[in-house]
Amino acid sequence: YYMSEKINTEVLIVGSGISGLLVGLELSKKYSVMILSKSKINECSTAWAQGGIAAAIGKSDDINNHVKDTVNNGHGICDMKSVKNIIKNSERSINLLQKQGVSFNKKGNKLDQTLEGGHSTRRIVYHNDNTGEEIHTSLLKKAEANKNITIKEDFMAIDLIGKKENLCQGLYAYDGLSESVVTICSNVVILATGGANKVYQYTTNPDTSTGDGIAMAWRFGCTITNMEFMQFHPTCLYHSTEKSFLISESLRGEGARLLNPDGKYFMSQYDKRMELAPRDVVARAIDTEMKNKNYKCVYLDITFKDEDYIKKRFPNIYRRCLELGIDITRQAIPVVPAAHYTCGGIKTNVSGQTECINLFAIGECAHTGFHGANRLASNSLLECSVMAIECSKIIENNYKLFHINHNLPLWDESYVTIPRDENILISHNWGEIRKIMWDYVGILRSNKMLRQAKERLAIINNEVNEFYNNHRISLDLLELRNLINIAEIITHSALQRKESRGLHFNKDYPESNSVYEKCTDVVNTKKDYIMKIVSKA
Ligand code: FAD
Ligand code: SIN
């Protein structure tokens, strides 16, 4: 059996992307901070981000323009207070990132800015085509050198715990190296676990995006908002071995065009903004082209740009494609849409406050109302950094922290008798969930598809619960349990929205309906706020 252990910390952060690292660095000035990362520290969406960060700092731009573009993209259901608050703070977060060592491309002595879909002007601050890697390595360097920050790799949060309803006092975490479960008691817990895009068969995201924080918060009793709005990026590389390589929207920002396999441009048939229409429009157009004409992929062409320019502006995309036999200076790039971003999440304000005491959620796992029914390109890293700053401020202002031993019970698996075998049940269900979601709850939905998905997911849910209750845990099993929760929450939310709006398109209700000009909330009625293990025993 596992050896159980207990650890205390003042601040516990789950996740080592931009949100987790930045809030950790801010809070380390005052508190002892522990950051958990369920796999290797640099496996997160942040490190893979390409395009950049939206910030209305250019001469020809202002905050009101950025607000207007964000709200237009959000199709009527953005939270104005959050939108204004986040955008107002964009210059501050760019400055803070630079102070933490992040370098952005410059034009003369000013920051250069690029363009992406849905933006009315060049607004995206960037570092070549690997903005995320630059941010992540810079922040990580600072965090690793910081004596008040302890980073625990291969530590996966399982479930939140607290001795009273709505009170969070820590969590159970699975230490992948020793294969044991640790009880971590903390004064505050900050979920910074990223998105849930791995719930789809095809995704631009790293393996870490299994929606763990959202599923944990849901099991704990938090409201989960707007999960029907899963964003599909129009241009993921179509390749037999490289399945999750993004071809940045900034290529289209710099003029790249979409072609079908017959060599014809097609975006003008769908939207007058063509390649620079918002993502929901472009992804749906590609999906329609592919389905109607049975194409396996479409093509993105940037060959008409100067070769040196392409190599200099998009060095990583150029290199990676070349390794795979595609010279993007001479050939159009085969692309398909893939699940990219989770607009919904744990209901919070911009400071990351949830409905539970001492529990915060920031970044992609949170829902502030900033994105509404469709996120504007490069607004995510912005939201992550502003939330990290605001979250650290509210904690500093409200908590006199000290070590408390909450005396939480140790994890007990003594009655679990079945060893970790039958891996095929886990891998089969993983694959099945992701395929059901792709086929039935994807870019194009219908009532029939959604109902079928619901029925099939319910069967898998029973199987996963049964398996979880009787088997020793593993990382895959824990992720599977989160994925099935997420799949059901998305499907349930999509069924509730009987209209089409932004990223949610249901062909039985192809128009939007003002009755649904509001958010979709999902709450778990069986709150497992103590810990599953006690209710199980
Ligand atoms: P992440 O960076 O995903 O980090 C989540 C962390 O939580 C990871 O370290 C993970 O291991 C950890 N974790 C998860 N579950 C657990 C658990 N149970 N226990 C312990 N640890 C856990 N946005 C933009 O604004 N601009 C862009 O140019 C851009 N490009 C993108 C390109 C790609 C390919 C992708 C995938 C996304 C892109 N996005 C972009 C979106 C943006 O990168 C993400 O929304 C953002 O980085 C999320 O940051 P985060 O800190 O919330 O989560
Ligand atoms: C991209 O570079 O296309 C990703 C931008 C984003 O997701 O915001």
Side-chain angles (χ1 to χ4, degrees):
Y1 294 110
Y2 301 121
M3 292 286 294
S4 288
E5 194 195 332
K6 203 183 280 186
I7 337 183
N8 290 325
T9 179
E10 289 181 328
V11 173
L12 178 60
I13 298 166
V14 189
S16 61
I18 183 174
S19 315
L21 290 178
L22 201 54
V23 79
L25 284 165
E26 289 300 287
L27 288 171
S28 69
K29 295 174 193 159
K30 207 163 160 187
Y31 311 109
S32 75
V33 171
M34 182 179 288
I35 300 180
L36 307 186
S37 189
K38 72 171 162 177
S39 52
K40 294 296 162 239
I41 192 90
N42 56 356
E43 267 186 55
C44 54
S45 290
T46 300
W48 290 21
Q50 296 184 349
I53 309 186
I57 55 174
K59 253 205 179 126
S60 59
D61 199 6
D62 71 20
I63 288 172
N64 293 332
N65 280 340
H66 191 178
V67 168
K68 207 164 120 200
D69 291 344
T70 300
V71 171
N72 282 345
N73 258 262
H75 297 268
I77 54 166
C78 289
D79 180 299
M80 279 314 283
K81 205 170 142 207
S82 296
V83 173
K84 286 185 180 156
N85 187 350
I86 291 172
I87 290 175
K88 190 181 76 197
N89 280 298
S90 51
E91 186 159 11
R92 224 169 113 223
S93 47
I94 298 289
N95 290 342
L96 177 64
L97 289 170
Q98 286 182 301
K99 223 174 92 197
Q100 296 289 7
V102 180
S103 108
F104 295 112
N105 285 34
K106 294 206 166 142
K107 203 173 192 173
N109 57 4
K110 288 223 164 68
L111 292 176
D112 193 19
Q113 289 180 286
T114 187
L115 183 64
E116 289 179 322
H119 289 278
S120 56
T121 184
R122 295 180 77 88
R123 179 179 291 140
I124 324 294
V125 176
Y126 66 98
H127 178 100
N128 298 335
D129 56 353
N130 62 339
T131 309
E133 191 183 352
E134 168 65 20
I135 293 175
H136 198 256
T137 30
S138 310
L139 297 182
L140 187 58
K141 206 159 136 197
K142 295 274 167 150
E144 281 174 339
N146 190 311
K147 288 203 181 68
N148 280 344
I149 299 181
T150 310
I151 297 177
K152 289 196 169 284
E153 269 189 334
D154 292 304
F155 253 73
M156 177 174 183
I158 304 172
D159 265 319
L160 297 163
I161 38 181
K163 289 206 229 150
K164 282 195 215 134
E165 187 161 359
N166 292 338
L167 172 68
C168 179
Q169 295 175 300
L171 51 75
Y172 291 119
Y174 177 66
D175 174 355
L177 293 183
S178 66
E179 301 193 343
S180 61
V181 176
V182 178
T183 308
I184 309 180
C185 305
S186 181
N187 296 272
V188 294
V189 174
I190 304 170
L191 297 173
T193 48
N197 309 297
K198 272 288 265 191
V199 76
Y200 286 95
Q201 190 174 10
Y202 303 108
T203 174
T204 62
N205 278 222
D207 288 344
T208 46
S209 301
T210 47
D212 299 357
I214 300 172
M216 279 192 288
W218 175 78
R219 291 194 290 268
F220 200 63
C222 296
T223 302
I224 308 299
T225 302
N226 278 0
M227 287 296 284
E228 66 274 37
F229 299 115
M230 298 296 288
Q231 183 174 70
F232 294 83
H233 196 292
T235 58
C236 180
L237 181 69
Y238 175 71
H239 190 268
S240 56
T241 55
E242 187 80 346
K243 293 208 187 308
S244 294
F245 188 67
L246 183 76
I247 307 296
S248 177
E249 186 152 333
S250 46
L251 267 81
R252 277 177 283 134
E254 301 299 345
R257 300 286 313 269
L258 284 161
L259 299 158
N260 64 26
D262 302 327
K264 297 210 169 64
Y265 296 125
F266 57 85
M267 272 311 299
S268 60
Q269 293 162 40
Y270 294 90
D271 195 288
K272 63 178 189 314
R273 293 162 290 184
M274 304 210 289
E275 274 78 1
L276 286 174
R279 258 178 216 176
D280 55 335
V281 175
V282 182
R284 231 171 2 251
I286 296 177
D287 190 62
T288 309
E289 283 287 305
M290 286 171 53
K291 284 197 176 125
N292 285 353
K293 300 180 187 149
N294 230 350
Y295 299 142
K296 286 200 164 58
C297 64
V298 296
Y299 292 86
L300 185 69
D301 184 20
I302 193 162
T303 55
F304 52 84
K305 283 265 182 186
D306 183 63
E307 183 174 334
D308 291 338
Y309 166 81
I310 297 175
K311 288 182 184 165
K312 190 154 175 268
R313 176 64 182 84
F314 302 109
N316 296 290
I317 295 174
Y318 169 73
R319 198 176 48 238
R320 189 74 201 108
C321 287
L322 198 63
E323 281 165 10
L324 297 165
I326 306 158
D327 179 351
I328 70 167
T329 66
R330 285 163 217 279
Q331 288 163 269
I333 312 163
V335 291
V336 285
H340 181 66
Y341 183 80
T342 307
C343 291
I346 305 158
K347 186 176 180 179
T348 67
N349 57 14
V350 173
S351 306
Q353 287 177 295
T354 68
E355 295 155 319
C356 294
I357 302 162
N358 302 344
L359 178 66
F360 295 79
I362 60 173
E364 192 171 335
C365 69
H367 177 275
T368 60
F370 182 40
H371 310 303
N374 182 29
R375 173 177 71 96
L376 195 57
S378 289
N379 260 356
S380 172
L381 292 172
L382 172 62
E383 182 184 50
C384 291
S385 39
V386 174
M387 287 190 89
I389 299 172
E390 294 299 305
C391 181
S392 67
K393 269 199 333 209
I394 203 142
I395 290 174
E396 278 173 26
N397 292 338
N398 287 287
Y399 286 81
K400 301 233 174 313
L401 296 182
F402 43 83
H403 278 294
I404 311 174
N405 186 345
H406 295 308
N407 204 14
L408 297 170
L410 293 176
W411 180 266
D412 176 10
E413 268 205 337
S414 53
Y415 55 89
V416 175
T417 48
I418 310 178
R420 201 185 301 134
D421 62 354
E422 301 178 67
N423 281 339
I424 189 67
L425 289 178
I426 297 180
S427 64
H428 176 86
N429 280 330
W430 252 88
E432 198 171 337
I433 294 170
R434 298 181 68 209
K435 188 145 174 43
I436 291 172
M437 293 304 288
W438 183 259
D439 289 341
Y440 296 153
V441 199
I443 297 175
L444 193 84
R445 302 163 180 177
S446 72
N447 287 342
K448 195 170 167 196
M449 287 174 180
L450 293 174
R451 278 197 298 266
Q452 274 183 7
K454 186 181 166 188
E455 279 170 27
R456 286 171 196 214
L457 292 170
I459 298 169
I460 299 176
N461 188 23
N462 284 340
E463 242 173 73
V464 173
N465 275 332
E466 205 266 335
F467 200 86
Y468 178 72
N469 286 330
N470 294 302
H471 286 72
R472 283 184 63 180
I473 54 173
S474 64
L475 188 110
D476 284 347
L477 176 56
L478 292 171
E479 284 187 342
L480 176 67
R481 175 171 170 250
N482 292 328
L483 275 188
I484 186 67
N485 286 164
I486 295 290
E488 290 202 303
I489 294 169
I490 296 173
T491 309
H492 182 72
S493 307
L495 274 163
Q496 287 190 359
R497 187 170 287 282
K498 298 186 192 336
E499 62 157 359
S500 290
R501 183 183 296 274
L503 295 160
H504 172 73
F505 188 85
N506 182 334
K507 64 180 187 200
D508 293 315
Y509 316 105
E511 304 298 328
S512 58
N513 178 341
S514 58
V515 172
Y516 292 97
E517 201 166 294
K518 58 182 184 189
C519 294
T520 311
D521 286 340
V522 177
V523 187
N524 176 15
T525 43
K526 306 177 285 196
K527 292 185 193 174
D528 293 345
Y529 62 87
I530 298 276
M531 76 239 79
K532 172 159 208 320
I533 229 67
V534 161
S535 52
K536 194 159 95 168

